[in-house]
Amino acid sequence: MVKKTVVLGSILLLTACNGSDSGDTATNSAITLSLVPSEAVVVSPFDVTQDDASPKSTTQMLKRISAVSTKASPTYSWATARIDAILNGSTPLRNTFTANLFYRQGTNAACYGPNLLYQDHPDGAGGSGELPGGDLLMWLEEDTTGHACAAAQMNSRLAGTRDQSMGALMVIASMVATANANSIALPAAGASITLASEMNALSVPNVTFNSVTLSQTSTNEWSYEVDLTYTRSGVADNIIIGLEHTSSGTRNQYSGVLFYRVDGDQSDFPGGNCTSSDRTLNGSLRYDRNSLTDMSIQSRTGIFCGSGVNGLTSGAGDDTDNMVNASLYYDAGSAPNGWSENFNIFVANFDPSQLSGQYAYVWQAGAGDSHSRVFNVGINAHSPLDGESYAGYGERVGSSVGDVQGLICNWAGPGNSHSLQELAQRQFITQDPTTGLFDASIGAGSADITYAPTNSCDYGGSGSFIYDVDADGDLSDETHAAVTADLMQPVDTDLDGTATIEEKIASRGFTLPIAPGNWPGQ
């Protein structure tokens, strides 16, 4: 299990954290709540959930809002409340947790990168075909969910990490609650307690806790280690969860790193890059909270080739700070246990009370891809919330610092080129206070997302090229009209003679979030 010592600049010593009777109830409750970083759960700032004070099942609780809903609240608040309910003992782990949370995966929204039919592509030898899904970025302004495409895509891509991080923190919270419920004193500095039998007594469906250890490695530094077996349809898979947490004794100042490792196979974690059917999901979540309104997180998840692969180790460079190694690319010869499918990085500096802040999301579908896809999002502390998103391509995840570096308009079509154009997509969005949906703003200048799927991002109109502009699966309603890309253009703000899209995004007020533990490319 991972080991990490994180030291805050100023630490308030815990005086009643060892299960003794000293201190009043309120103080002990505050200390208990400070031992689990509920607010570090990874949730898209656009994700909203139907309000339901008494959800009947996990399925119902995970129900996402639809376009016809009339009342909603942030899923972030919903998730932290459920972790806290386990932590304070009001909800048993078995009532809200399922180990299947670790197997949930993010997908693309319907509006983002649809499969696209085409005929007589001008960059290749002509003919008809279909561009694969995921490569065309924001293609339609609005998603089938009713969200603007930028919001819908962030929600869809982060859905897996949301459930995985929530599941891991639920188990961690239950360790503290179980110790309290069984009158087991929390360990003093340098000591530990084991809780496997007590956790198994919770009767979590299909789960056997093999080992559960809670330690206070030194004053205010806590280590949680869980080894469990999850059995489905007669197949038993191993799941490891670890947390290294430094607490100040309050809810508003703490830091640490969460890690989880989940065994499965190709049916659990699809992809065709790894030659083995066995796969291991590795996830890490580094967090740093300095005040009531200041939270920073860095989440990394990747699917590694093979069973029981520890993605924190092996390989040079990016294997520090107990985070998943983005640089360990799968190679059948040199790195057979590297990450092979879907690596995701999410970094956010935000206000937990209202979710305004700076966000960057980077993902790469396969280890061999030349670039990653990137979303940069700034959310303003307005009422209602609004903000702007920027989409494009950037460095591979192992070298990323989170910025949009340009656009590739013909990723997989005939004669494709992966040379970055100094262009990007932009969409301004505003939250509807009634439904909670983040709407595509209407009017001139609200979005720049339109382009032709060619190397130049334009089409002169002189040939017979057509493509499925409205993504309805039908080419009969399309024309051969010329297309001039409506995309965000570069500027030269530093006057060095070179205009870049990074400068343009910065000029609109977006600042890349600072990553706890640094971006892979830093």
Side-chain angles (χ1 to χ4, degrees):
M1 180 51 59
V2 299
K3 296 294 180 186
K4 175 68 181 177
T5 299
V6 186
V7 180
L8 293 172
S10 174
I11 294 180
L12 303 177
L13 297 182
L14 294 177
T15 58
C17 60
N18 60 0
S20 70
D21 293 330
S22 62
D24 58 27
T25 302
T27 299
N28 288 328
S29 177
I31 290 172
T32 295
L33 290 174
S34 76
L35 297 183
V36 177
S38 305
E39 297 87 353
V41 63
V42 178
V43 182
S44 165
F46 307 118
D47 200 346
V48 288
T49 299
Q50 289 176 328
D51 285 345
D52 186 347
S54 302
K56 305 301 188 296
S57 67
T58 300
T59 300
Q60 184 177 357
M61 289 193 300
L62 290 173
K63 185 178 180 182
R64 301 274 67 82
I65 189 170
S66 69
V68 297
S69 298
T70 58
K71 188 178 181 182
S73 58
T75 299
Y76 176 80
S77 300
W78 173 92
T80 58
R82 274 143 186 81
I83 298 166
D84 283 344
I86 293 171
L87 180 59
N88 66 31
S90 61
T91 300
L93 182 65
R94 64 178 176 272
N95 284 19
T96 58
F97 169 79
T98 167
N100 200 50
L101 287 166
F102 291 103
Y103 294 87
R104 301 229 168 98
Q105 297 294 295
T107 60
N108 290 320
C111 62
Y112 182 98
N115 292 65
L116 204 74
L117 296 171
Y118 68 88
Q119 289 180 1
D120 297 328
H121 199 288
D123 293 323
S128 302
E130 183 178 58
L131 301 178
D135 300 334
L136 294 167
L137 307 190
M138 291 189 288
W139 193 253
L140 303 174
E141 288 194 16
E142 186 175 288
D143 188 62
T144 53
T145 60
H147 278 293
C149 191
Q153 176 65 358
M154 186 79 87
N155 292 348
S156 291
R157 291 300 314 177
L158 283 177
T161 307
R162 175 200 64 212
D163 290 353
Q164 294 157 17
S165 64
M166 184 171 66
L169 288 170
M170 282 179 170
V171 172
I172 296 295
S174 187
M175 291 173 64
V176 178
T178 297
N180 289 338
N182 287 275
S183 300
I184 299 173
L186 297 180
S192 63
I193 58 175
T194 59
L195 298 164
S197 60
E198 290 81 5
M199 292 288 284
N200 280 317
L202 299 175
S203 300
V204 177
N206 306 313
V207 168
T208 300
F209 290 97
N210 305 314
S211 64
V212 180
T213 304
L214 197 168
S215 308
Q216 189 175 177
T217 53
S218 59
T219 303
N220 301 327
E221 294 177 2
W222 298 83
S223 176
Y224 302 74
E225 300 180 7
V226 179
D227 183 314
L228 65 86
T229 299
Y230 177 43
T231 304
R232 304 163 293 161
S233 303
V235 177
D237 285 315
N238 187 231
I239 298 176
I240 301 293
I241 304 168
L243 174 69
E244 304 296 332
H245 179 69
T246 296
S247 170
S248 68
T250 74
R251 291 295 296 265
N252 302 325
Q253 188 181 29
Y254 53 76
S255 62
V257 60
L258 173 75
F259 173 72
Y260 48 93
R261 185 170 76 238
V262 182
D263 281 350
D265 59 25
Q266 191 169 11
S267 64
D268 300 311
F269 307 120
N273 298 306
C274 173
T275 56
S276 169
S277 176
D278 292 331
R279 309 287 164 84
T280 307
L281 166 70
N282 277 263
S284 61
L285 172 57
R286 179 81 180 266
Y287 55 88
D288 190 354
R289 186 169 189 179
N290 295 310
S291 70
L292 179 66
T293 59
D294 181 12
M295 169 71 85
S296 295
I297 62 174
Q298 177 181 184
S299 166
R300 299 185 189 180
T301 62
I303 309 300
F304 285 70
C305 187
S307 179
V309 178
N310 185 347
L312 300 183
T313 60
S314 303
D318 181 33
D319 58 354
T320 60
D321 296 308
N322 291 329
M323 292 185 290
V324 182
N325 189 346
S327 300
L328 188 55
Y329 302 103
Y330 169 77
D331 181 274
S334 61
N337 294 128
W339 77 262
S340 56
E341 333 288 335
N342 294 314
F343 202 102
N344 306 268
I345 304 174
F346 178 65
V347 174
N349 303 156
F350 66 101
D351 179 347
S353 67
Q354 61 178 357
L355 303 185
S356 59
Q358 307 295 315
Y359 298 83
Y361 177 50
V362 179
W363 72 104
Q364 188 172 322
D369 284 359
S370 63
H371 297 80
S372 63
R373 278 78 165 168
V374 182
F375 256 129
N376 292 160
V377 178
I379 299 179
N380 303 311
H382 296 162
S383 183
L385 292 174
D386 62 18
E388 193 156 76
S389 63
Y390 312 97
Y393 287 82
E395 295 276 3
R396 302 174 78 198
V397 291
S399 305
S400 177
V401 295
D403 56 342
V404 173
Q405 296 182 335
L407 206 60
I408 298 171
C409 295
N410 180 18
W411 176 271
N416 63 81
S417 170
H418 286 196
S419 296
L420 288 173
Q421 304 283 335
E422 289 291 335
L423 303 165
Q425 292 185 312
R426 177 187 68 87
Q427 185 173 42
F428 190 85
I429 52 183
T430 304
Q431 187 173 34
D432 184 320
T434 301
T435 65
L437 296 170
F438 284 81
D439 298 329
S441 297
I442 305 300
S446 63
D448 302 299
I449 68 172
T450 304
Y451 66 91
T454 63
N455 289 337
S456 66
C457 305
D458 299 325
Y459 173 58
S462 59
S464 56
F465 177 48
I466 59 173
Y467 58 94
D468 193 6
V469 175
D470 54 8
D472 65 353
D474 181 12
L475 289 178
S476 65
D477 58 346
E478 308 299 346
T479 68
H480 305 289
V483 176
T484 299
D486 177 18
L487 297 166
M488 197 163 58
Q489 306 294 314
V491 296
D492 180 15
T493 57
D494 61 7
L495 304 179
D496 67 350
T498 301
T500 71
I501 200 63
E502 295 94 324
E503 290 176 273
K504 178 65 175 181
I505 293 173
S507 74
R508 296 190 64 85
F510 178 78
T511 302
L512 279 168
I514 297 171
N518 294 326
W519 286 92
Q522 290 178 321

